[in-house]
Amino acid sequence: MINTHTGPQPADFADVRATNLAVVLRFVRQNAPCSRADIAASTGLNKATVSSLVADLIDRRLLRETGLSENRVGRPATMLVLDGSPYAAIGLEANVDYLTAVAVDLAGTELLSWRRTFPGATATPGQAVAAIAALARRVLNRMDKEARQVLGLTVAVPGLVDVSGSVRIAPNLGWRDVDLAGDLTKALRDPGFPVLVDNDANLAALAEHRFGPHGAAGDLVYLTGEIGVGAGVIMDGRLRRGGRGFAGEVGHIPIDSAGPECRCGRRGCLEAVAGLGAVLRHTAPDATPAELEPEVDEIVRRARAGDPVVLATLDEAGRALGKGVAVLANVLNPQVVVLGGYYAALTPWVLPAAREELARLSFAPEAGGTELVASTLGYGASALGAAARLLDSIDSGRLPATG
């Protein structure tokens, strides 16, 4: 669902009709089932305009009628709900040990969710592009068999991604200046829809805001819990990317100047002391990036069994994490900080210490109201958010052409 503080409002600039089509679509997404009269009353658009806009959206198969409602004053009204069944938005995630693919329809209904192992930490950029393209083709073939129009494809990557879709730095993948959007477009032979690339934490934050239980929070931060630690920041209901798209690299906040070396070349960064790599360094020093999920399962098993080494390691990681979250609380004052990725599985042991440090180091009373919670979206949050980015573009007025 889309959450805003002001609700949809009619536009008064350039392409008024396209913008007002988006106003109606967003209203129905938030309020379905609803009538044309409901839309007019809530948006300020007149009834004739609403009828025309709704007819256009039905023609595009973005809305559909769903019978009459008699639970209202006056005569029964024809109710509207989202359709979007002919369309698909595709999200992929490339990380150090896996590739994930998700496809959803316009209403956000999951059409498929695939996950496969991938040696991202050792693959060259060329090998990575080939693997991502191969997975994308499988998804596209499935969507073609289901006669769905693909709205676009977005790839999530753990690193700095500029506005052109070039990955400037991805230390945990060993990438620098990789034109992933351009290379993938070529590999897919110019597929005729947008191919986008974005930071994995940004996209996971979009997924939390659209699909998660804290979507009503206008100010939300999502922390990835992989080998690296990144943040997706939503303020006032909007994703904040920074001046060049590089916001959110909290994994490189200095926590301990005498701490272990980080993959970025510095010492004591948050991800070096609290990321999954730091936990494995103490609990499973022989683990490889291609085996992270089973290693996390083993850490959970040992923690439940009371293993003192694991418990002490998770407590230490939680305290370091709490220090990083306290910086976010003091600077951004988000309503909620969501721990995602592998952190979600470890939260029974990481959260208590992290919350204690958050409370101790936050300047505002009660951490300024910042709540620290575990994600419920699983390991596919970034891929789901990659698909959600395409749905956001529809909601903002970039509608598919009339069939």
Side-chain angles (χ1 to χ4, degrees):
M1 71 190 299
I2 300 299
N3 298 284
T4 64
H5 294 297
T6 60
Q9 296 293 324
D12 58 0
F13 52 88
D15 190 351
V16 174
R17 183 169 181 83
T19 303
N20 286 338
L21 284 167
V23 168
V24 172
L25 187 63
R26 289 197 302 271
F27 182 86
V28 176
R29 183 186 294 282
Q30 290 176 290
N31 298 282
C34 59
S35 69
R36 291 165 175 80
D38 294 332
I39 297 170
S42 297
T43 64
L45 296 167
N46 68 56
K47 292 181 180 180
T49 299
V50 168
S51 293
S52 175
L53 295 169
V54 167
D56 193 342
L57 292 169
I58 289 174
D59 190 34
R60 296 170 190 261
R61 295 189 63 184
L62 297 173
L63 299 182
R64 62 183 173 86
E65 296 178 333
T66 183
L68 301 176
S69 173
E70 299 181 358
N71 298 323
R72 55 177 58 230
V73 176
R75 70 183 194 179
T78 302
M79 305 304 284
L80 300 165
V81 296
L82 286 178
D83 184 0
S85 56
Y87 304 103
I90 300 172
L92 303 179
E93 179 188 3
N95 220 304
V96 295
D97 63 327
Y98 63 84
L99 294 176
T100 301
V102 171
V104 300
D105 68 11
L106 186 66
T109 302
E110 186 177 281
L111 305 174
L112 63 81
S113 179
W114 295 339
R115 181 179 167 93
R116 60 168 55 173
T117 59
F118 168 65
T122 57
T124 66
Q127 291 170 331
V129 169
I132 295 167
L135 181 57
R137 289 189 200 99
R138 284 190 59 201
V139 179
L140 292 173
N141 287 338
R142 172 69 68 86
M143 296 301 99
D144 185 59
K145 289 178 181 178
E146 296 180 5
R148 294 182 185 274
Q149 178 183 335
V150 173
L151 300 170
L153 182 153
T154 304
V155 182
V157 177
L160 298 181
V161 181
D162 67 21
V163 293
S164 72
S166 178
V167 182
R168 301 300 301 274
I169 305 171
N172 296 319
L173 294 176
W175 295 3
R176 184 178 288 271
D177 294 324
V178 176
D179 182 15
L180 184 57
D183 291 346
L184 190 56
T185 298
K186 292 175 185 176
L188 295 175
R189 299 181 179 180
D190 297 321
F193 51 72
V195 176
L196 309 172
V197 179
D198 205 339
N199 172 265
D200 59 343
N202 284 347
L203 295 172
L206 288 179
E208 286 289 344
H209 197 237
R210 181 178 279 262
F211 301 112
H214 302 282
D219 302 288
L220 175 151
V221 175
Y222 179 98
L223 293 185
T224 60
E226 311 293 338
I227 287 292
V229 179
V233 180
I234 289 177
M235 302 299 291
D236 297 324
R238 297 176 56 195
L239 182 66
R240 301 299 178 175
R241 301 177 181 277
R244 300 183 65 183
F246 300 157
E249 287 299 321
V250 300
H252 302 288
I253 291 174
I255 298 296
D256 180 3
S257 60
E261 185 174 357
C262 181
R263 288 177 181 243
C264 73
R266 300 171 181 83
R267 285 195 169 275
C269 293
L270 177 62
E271 73 176 47
V273 296
L276 182 59
V279 173
L280 292 175
R281 188 169 60 248
H282 293 290
T283 61
D286 296 327
T288 67
E291 302 172 334
L292 295 183
E293 192 167 339
E295 293 292 351
V296 171
D297 291 342
E298 177 62 12
I299 290 171
V300 170
R301 185 196 66 77
R302 290 169 61 185
R304 287 173 176 164
D307 184 315
V309 172
V310 169
L311 293 178
T313 298
L314 293 179
D315 182 80
E316 182 178 351
R319 294 193 181 283
L321 188 61
K323 292 176 182 177
V325 174
V327 173
L328 294 173
N330 288 333
V331 174
L332 301 177
N333 189 215
Q335 294 162 263
V336 61
V337 175
V338 182
L339 302 183
Y342 294 116
Y343 277 143
L346 303 176
T347 48
W349 303 279
V350 170
L351 263 183
R355 285 171 171 164
E356 184 177 312
E357 289 298 292
L358 171 61
R360 185 176 71 85
L361 296 174
S362 297
F363 177 74
E366 299 178 347
T370 297
E371 184 181 6
L372 185 58
V373 302
S375 174
T376 61
L377 297 183
Y379 296 137
S382 292
L384 181 60
R389 177 176 172 179
L390 297 159
L391 301 186
D392 282 352
S393 72
I394 300 297
D395 286 340
S396 67
R398 291 183 285 275
L399 304 183
T402 305

